[in-house]
Amino acid sequence: MSGRARIDWVDYAKGFCIIMVVMMHSTLGVEKAAGAESWLGHVVAFARPFRMPDFFLISGLFLAKVIDRDWRTYADRKIVHFAYFYVLWLVIQFAFKAPGMAAEDGVAGALGQFLLAFIEPFGTLWFIYLLPIFFAVTKLLRGVPSWIVLLAAAVLEIAPIHTGWTIPDEFASRFVYFYAGYLFAPQVFRLAAAVIAQPALAVLGLVAWGLINGFAVFGGVSEMPFIGLGLGILGACAVVAFSALLSKADLMAPLRYCGEHSIVIYLAFFLPMAATRVLLLRTGVIPDLGSVSLIVTAMGVLVPLLLYWAVRGTRLRFLFERPGWARIDRVKTQEFAPAE
């Protein structure tokens, strides 16, 4: 739990997005392994325009509260924090994948892949790698007029930048949403408050957005320049509105809990996801690929939370809590700092 008071709709939004992320990896993995498409793939496709934009927008929402801190404190909380979890879970993921890499490319090839992961993010960990870069760049650009930064970020998103390297490509595609979350945080909170005050109108807006997003995705135009940016912004606002509606009634507390521990899920979902996929596809006990993908998604969400509960208060809590030795700030008020 962080020092700030939690805001329910923010956790609902993070929970919704992390489940969509796990669903994407689970479904695409099942479809690739089976060599066929599934009905859940349509849900994944529908979520593509807004899944990561909203995640990054939410990540920037509270940045204004800390961006003026001294560099040492800021770097500890926003850069070193995520670097610790990236390196830790890189080692864990690599430990599981190294035998296969060594069998295919030799020990030298596997070691080369490990070293390359410090430049090119490994597997599913690219979000953890990219987020501290966004924090650092935003602080470095603090003295530049915000409209110039926002315009440049939008141009990067619209431009067809495909270098083949994850960081430059994803930076160009995602920074505009992170910066918009930081810059327009007051407006985003006002949107959530308006939705809670007028839920019926918000529902109508969400239906209209769903139709627009669906037509764009299944009409094959969702990734076109300008349209992709517009759908990302609209989709992020739609997730905020949807999450605000959920928070008003608080009918889906487990989803909110997933949002509170979204980084826990993101760090650890790869292994239960892969293991469940292999088990179900090899046994063939469930013939429907959509159902297989749904079960794989559920295990990818639930097992990390179970692991988190199991290691709390034990020597293994370093898996999800940064120990004091991995901090660089002057005042180490906590022996362990949670991943959130």
Side-chain angles (χ1 to χ4, degrees):
M1 188 74 70
S2 65
R4 68 172 176 83
R6 304 210 70 99
I7 298 174
D8 284 349
W9 73 259
V10 172
D11 285 329
Y12 271 114
K14 291 167 66 178
F16 177 79
C17 287
I18 190 58
I19 289 175
M20 289 295 103
V21 168
V22 176
M23 182 183 293
M24 175 196 67
H25 287 287
S26 300
T27 303
L28 296 182
V30 167
E31 291 181 347
K32 181 179 179 180
E37 296 182 351
S38 70
W39 55 266
L40 199 60
H42 297 297
V43 179
V44 171
F46 179 84
R48 186 185 304 117
F50 62 86
R51 181 173 48 236
M52 295 312 296
D54 184 70
F55 226 149
F56 281 111
L57 181 138
I58 295 297
S59 297
L61 277 184
F62 299 96
L63 183 55
K65 296 180 179 296
V66 300
I67 196 169
D68 289 324
R69 291 178 178 175
D70 65 275
W71 262 107
R72 185 167 182 171
T73 302
Y74 185 84
D76 178 74
R77 308 294 173 81
K78 298 301 184 183
I79 300 173
V80 177
H81 185 74
F82 292 102
Y84 166 79
F85 289 108
Y86 176 79
V87 174
L88 172 64
W89 283 90
L90 164 63
V91 172
I92 293 172
Q93 285 202 20
F94 189 80
F96 284 98
K97 295 183 179 182
M101 291 180 177
E104 185 174 341
D105 301 319
V107 174
L111 179 59
Q113 288 295 312
F114 178 76
L115 296 176
L116 181 63
F118 289 90
I119 301 173
E120 174 69 6
F122 192 79
T124 59
L125 295 173
W126 68 268
F127 176 82
I128 302 296
Y129 191 110
L130 186 59
L131 194 57
I133 294 176
F134 282 173
F135 282 121
V137 169
T138 303
K139 187 169 176 64
L140 287 170
L141 295 176
R142 189 77 171 94
V144 179
S146 57
W147 68 270
I148 293 179
V149 178
L150 185 65
L151 179 60
V155 169
L156 286 175
E157 198 281 341
I158 295 168
I161 297 176
H162 304 290
T163 67
W165 292 85
T166 300
I167 293 306
D169 290 355
E170 293 295 343
F171 184 97
S173 298
R174 312 299 185 187
F175 183 63
V176 64
Y177 304 109
F178 177 86
Y179 194 79
Y182 156 65
L183 188 61
F184 297 116
Q187 289 79 6
V188 173
F189 282 103
R190 282 199 289 270
L191 171 62
V195 167
I196 292 173
Q198 296 182 298
L201 185 60
V203 170
L204 292 176
L206 285 171
V207 171
W209 160 78
L211 292 173
I212 293 171
N213 190 78
F215 280 126
V217 169
F218 300 112
V221 300
S222 63
E223 297 184 19
M224 293 180 63
F226 295 97
I227 294 177
L229 176 60
L231 289 177
I233 294 171
L234 285 176
C237 291
V239 173
V240 169
F242 177 67
S243 303
L245 287 175
L246 291 179
S247 72
K248 180 178 176 65
D250 201 21
L251 295 177
M252 298 178 67
L255 181 63
R256 187 185 71 239
Y257 188 84
C258 288
E260 293 176 9
H261 301 87
S262 58
I263 298 299
V264 167
I265 296 171
Y266 191 89
L267 290 171
F269 80 89
F270 77 97
L271 184 58
M273 175 189 70
T276 307
R277 179 182 67 233
V278 171
L279 176 64
L280 292 180
L281 290 180
R282 285 186 178 177
T283 61
V285 65
I286 300 176
D288 178 62
L289 290 182
S291 299
V292 170
S293 300
L294 202 58
I295 294 171
V296 171
T297 300
M299 294 301 291
V301 172
L302 291 175
V303 172
L305 294 177
L306 292 173
L307 177 61
Y308 169 73
W309 294 334
V311 303
R312 287 184 304 176
T314 73
R315 292 183 178 181
L316 293 177
R317 58 180 171 170
F318 68 87
L319 291 172
F320 303 111
E321 297 181 34
R322 182 169 54 124
W325 60 260
R327 300 187 62 166
I328 63 171
D329 57 345
R330 295 182 179 86
V331 182
K332 300 180 180 180
T333 56
Q334 292 178 294
E335 184 180 354
F336 282 84
E340 293 299 312

